[in-house]
Structures are given as structure tokens and as C-alpha cells.
Amino acid sequence: MNDIILVKLGEIILKGLNRRSFEQRLMDNMRKAIAKHGNFKVYCLQSTVYVEALDDNADMDGAFEALQKVFGIIKLTRAAGCEKDKDAIAKLAVEYLREDMENAHSFKVESKRSDKSFPMTSIELSQYVGGILQDAYPDTVVDVHEPELVVNIEVRDLAAYVHAAPVKGAGGMPLGSNGVAVTLLSGGIDSPVSTYMIAKRGVRLIPVHFFSFPYTSELAKEKVIELGNQLTDYCGKMTLEIVPFTHIQEEIRDKCPEEYFTLIMRRFMMRIAQRIAKSNGAKAIVTGENLGQVASQTMEAMASTQAVMDIPCIQPLIGFDKEEIITVARKIGTFDTSILPYEDCCTVFTPRHPRTRPRVAEVERAESVLDIEALVNEALEGIERVELKNE
């Protein structure tokens, strides 16, 4: 029995003359995602991508699970193929869906004909196969309104395919189809979610973490590395750039007014992130900021932070509430790591009464006592790079 995976495309089908490039990008990403599970053939026909095992050693279960995390796929299903003949299709449905039919109390058949030369209409084929399934499994009744099981038949160019209900895919756009950005990755709940969400829009990411040893521990750094590793299931291979931030924070503490500590710190983060972005061809910076969540995330504070940048700052979570963010964090598997009790640099030298409605000119005056360029260059020269991967 020819067991394959059928993959349905999402937003790609709305593309015009450049659609083929998006399909090719998606198939390249799929091949990378399933490479460790064996040898597969991946090809696209009529807005469906087919994944076929090339030998008996291929792990179809592992490949199917991996493909559920590939952006650009709206749904996918395990299926079996046969010749485009009504009796062959009916026989395949009886055999391939045996377990599904025996476990369901009711079913219906839905057919689609991409190949319009097939001699039966979709309704006629559904009725024919449904009758044979009813005879083969008399304890499972036909219910066309609210069936427990939907038997799907697709008559396509190369063959006819039978499958049960498809599984929801990751959605979004193929990774790499919308450029490269730097994402600020802390050890909290928000930044892994914002990283995931912008990757879902097809953006490849360079994660940057600011590390303030000894004020933040090695365990805190390991926590961020683990978060990055977890994200590679969705974001692909990434290189985490760990920026030494201790000297900058100490200089801010020693020379700047306390109420501006966090604002000046974040301006340094943006300066450094922008330099990393430009040296790597990235076109934007991604943050996990959420309007009004903390003192540094008011409109005025964010305007002050972003005033040092000349590339876009993308904030995927700007309108989310915390429960919505937590829901996504649980879904992608980062929540339990994010809540481990290890501090990050944002908690170092936190002002007792932070300025929440600053003017940009005020912040510029407060930081003017610092040798900004020298501090930025020193941090960039001390970057530690860690290759991320999910074992």
C-alpha cells in the first residue's frame, strides 16, 4: 500500500507570478525538516505537496510530526494512493481506513476531482465508495451532517488518494521567504513567543541575548540557550549572539540618573542589535514588547528606545494580553523553560521610580555623559556565538 503524506498549502496559493518561488522555498524547508527521518521524495502538483518515502527505512511517523512545525503548511494528512478506478478506490478505502472505520460510530465520504476526466462526479464517487464502506462496516452508520469520521477521496493527476481527516499545520509563510531580522531573546515568556510569531511570517532570525555576568548567572544564560534550541523546531538553525552587557549597565548605574536606567539600557540594546543586523544583512529588529505591560513599554518610552534606530522595529505582541502570550508559549513548548527562576539583564539595576513618559531629548541628555560608541564597540567585540539546534 502506497503510504504518503499530502501537504496543503496556506497563503502561498494567493501568490501570483512569484508563487513558484514560495513553493520551492517551502519544499526546501520540508526536506530539511524531515532529512533526519530518512530518504523522501518531495514534489508539488496542483497546490499540494507530496511526500513519499524512497525506501522502507524511512520514518513516516517522525516525518509527519516534523512537518507539523513547518511554516507555510495549512494542513497535512497521511494518505494512500491507487489507480484512478472506482473499485480500486473503494477497496483502498476499506483496507486503509479499517481502524478508523471500526472506531467510529458514523461516517461520510467527501470526494474531490482535480482530474476532471475521471468518469464519475464527486457526488457519484462519494455515494459509490460510501455504499461499499457501509457494507464492509455495518456497525458504522452513514451520517452526512455530523459524522465522527470523514473519509476523504482525492482524484488527482497521478493517482487517487484516500485519507481521513487532515491535521492542522503551522500556517504562515515559508521560513526565509520574507527576509532576515534580529530578534531580542531574553529568558522570559514574551520574547520566545515574538520570535516564533515573526518566524511564522517567513522571517529567518538571528537571536541576540544580553548577558550581565555576574549579576546574571551562567544558569540564566543556559536557560536562554535552551529556549533558542526549542525554537529551532519552528525557526530552523540559528546562531545565538550573546552580548556582554555588564560594563554598559555599570556605566549607566554609575553615571546616569536612576529614573532613566532602563530606558538608556534599552537604547544600548537597540544600537547593538542594529549593528548586528546590518553586519548580517538583516532588515529589522524584533522585540517582545507589549504596550503598557511594564514602565519601559509605554508609547513614549518605546519612542525613546527606537529613536536610536534607522531600521524597523517589529513588535508582534504589541496588542496581546498576558494570557494570550502564555497560550502561545505553551503551544510551542517554551513556557516551562521561560518560568525557570533565573534572572536576566532587564532585572539588573531596576530603578525604584522609572520614568514612564519620557521625552527623547531628556533621555539623550541623561546618557550624554557616556562614551556610547566605545561601549557599543566593546560589547560587539566580546560577542559569544552559540549554534542552536534541537536534539
Side-chain angles (χ1 to χ4, degrees):
M1 193 177 297
N2 183 19
D3 189 23
I4 68 170
I5 300 172
L6 297 181
V7 171
K8 305 296 184 179
L9 308 186
E11 295 178 49
I12 294 175
I13 63 173
L14 303 176
K15 297 298 178 182
L17 297 177
N18 61 346
R19 174 170 162 177
R20 183 60 185 166
S21 66
F22 284 88
E23 291 174 345
Q24 192 60 56
R25 175 82 66 172
L26 174 61
M27 289 189 288
D28 288 344
N29 293 344
M30 290 170 59
R31 292 183 184 102
K32 292 175 184 177
I34 63 178
K36 64 182 178 182
H37 299 290
N39 296 318
F40 295 89
K41 180 181 179 182
V42 180
Y43 58 96
C44 183
L45 291 171
Q46 295 179 314
S47 301
T48 296
V49 178
Y50 298 75
V51 180
E52 296 182 6
L54 293 178
D55 54 57
D56 293 337
N57 295 321
D59 179 5
M60 292 292 284
D61 292 334
F64 189 79
E65 183 177 351
L67 290 173
Q68 291 179 57
K69 297 179 180 179
V70 175
F71 293 126
I73 297 173
I74 194 168
K75 56 185 177 180
L76 63 162
T77 186
R78 295 281 289 273
C82 67
E83 61 183 292
K84 292 183 281 187
D85 172 79
K86 66 177 183 177
D87 293 317
I89 295 169
K91 181 181 178 182
L92 180 61
V94 170
E95 296 174 352
Y96 186 66
L97 299 177
R98 180 178 303 280
E99 184 176 345
D100 298 275
M101 288 294 297
E102 289 176 345
N103 291 333
H105 293 97
S106 61
F107 79 100
K108 75 171 181 178
V109 179
E110 290 187 352
S111 301
K112 296 180 180 178
R113 293 183 313 144
S114 299
D115 180 1
K116 300 303 181 184
S117 67
F118 187 75
M120 302 175 74
T121 67
S122 296
I123 293 176
E124 289 170 345
L125 181 58
S126 294
Q127 291 172 339
Y128 181 76
V129 175
I132 291 177
L133 285 170
Q134 177 71 90
D135 292 340
Y137 303 100
D139 293 334
T140 307
V141 301
V142 174
D143 183 348
V144 298
H145 300 295
E146 295 183 356
E148 285 188 26
L149 171 66
V150 176
V151 175
N152 292 274
I153 299 171
E154 300 186 38
V155 182
R156 307 185 68 83
D157 278 358
L158 300 180
Y161 300 93
V162 173
H163 60 88
V167 172
K168 186 177 181 180
M173 298 292 291
L175 195 65
S177 62
N178 277 321
V180 182
V182 162
T183 182
L184 303 191
L185 188 63
S186 73
I189 297 170
D190 298 351
S191 61
V193 174
S194 64
T195 300
Y196 160 84
M197 290 184 67
I198 203 64
K200 187 175 181 177
R201 300 310 307 157
V203 179
R204 287 202 176 275
L205 293 161
I206 302 167
V208 173
H209 176 65
F210 294 91
F211 183 51
S212 295
F213 186 81
Y215 303 105
T216 56
S217 67
E218 286 292 329
L219 287 174
K221 181 169 74 172
E222 291 301 319
K223 171 184 172 180
V224 172
I225 293 172
E226 176 59 22
L227 285 170
N229 286 334
Q230 290 168 343
L231 286 168
T232 59
D233 270 357
Y234 295 96
C235 302
K237 292 182 179 179
M238 299 184 291
T239 300
L240 174 63
E241 310 245 344
I242 302 174
V243 180
F245 209 53
T246 306
H247 188 203
I248 289 174
Q249 289 194 286
E250 289 176 338
E251 285 286 289
I252 295 170
R253 175 199 61 188
D254 294 343
K255 298 179 180 179
C256 300
E258 181 183 350
E259 62 184 325
Y260 294 106
F261 280 1
T262 303
L263 294 168
I264 296 172
M265 175 193 74
R266 290 197 62 80
R267 282 163 65 89
F268 269 96
M269 288 180 174
M270 293 301 183
R271 291 184 178 102
I272 293 167
Q274 178 166 274
R275 290 276 292 274
I276 293 172
K278 291 185 175 182
S279 66
N280 287 278
K283 304 301 183 184
I285 295 171
V286 181
T287 74
E289 289 169 304
N290 175 256
L291 186 61
Q293 184 171 243
V294 294
S296 63
Q297 294 176 11
T298 64
M299 289 186 185
E300 293 88 344
M302 287 189 286
S304 169
T305 298
Q306 295 173 28
V308 301
M309 301 166 55
D310 57 24
I311 62 175
C313 181
I314 301 174
Q315 300 159 305
L317 308 183
I318 197 70
F320 278 44
D321 63 39
K322 199 66 178 183
E323 283 304 312
E324 291 172 318
I325 298 170
I326 289 172
T327 297
V328 179
R330 291 187 186 278
K331 170 188 169 184
I332 64 176
T334 57
F335 179 76
D336 289 340
T337 303
S338 290
I339 61 174
L340 292 174
Y342 306 127
E343 67 292 318
D344 61 40
C345 71
C346 294
T347 63
V348 176
F349 310 138
T350 303
R352 290 165 294 182
H353 303 290
R355 190 65 181 267
T356 59
R357 310 286 181 190
R359 293 187 177 90
V360 174
E362 295 174 2
V363 186
E364 289 174 343
R365 282 196 298 272
E367 70 179 10
S368 63
V369 296
L370 303 173
D371 189 341
I372 293 171
E373 188 65 17
L375 289 169
V376 168
N377 287 335
E378 178 188 337
L380 289 168
E381 289 170 3
I383 287 177
E384 174 190 359
R385 294 178 176 87
V386 177
E387 297 298 321
L388 300 174
K389 58 184 178 179
N390 195 333
E391 298 296 344

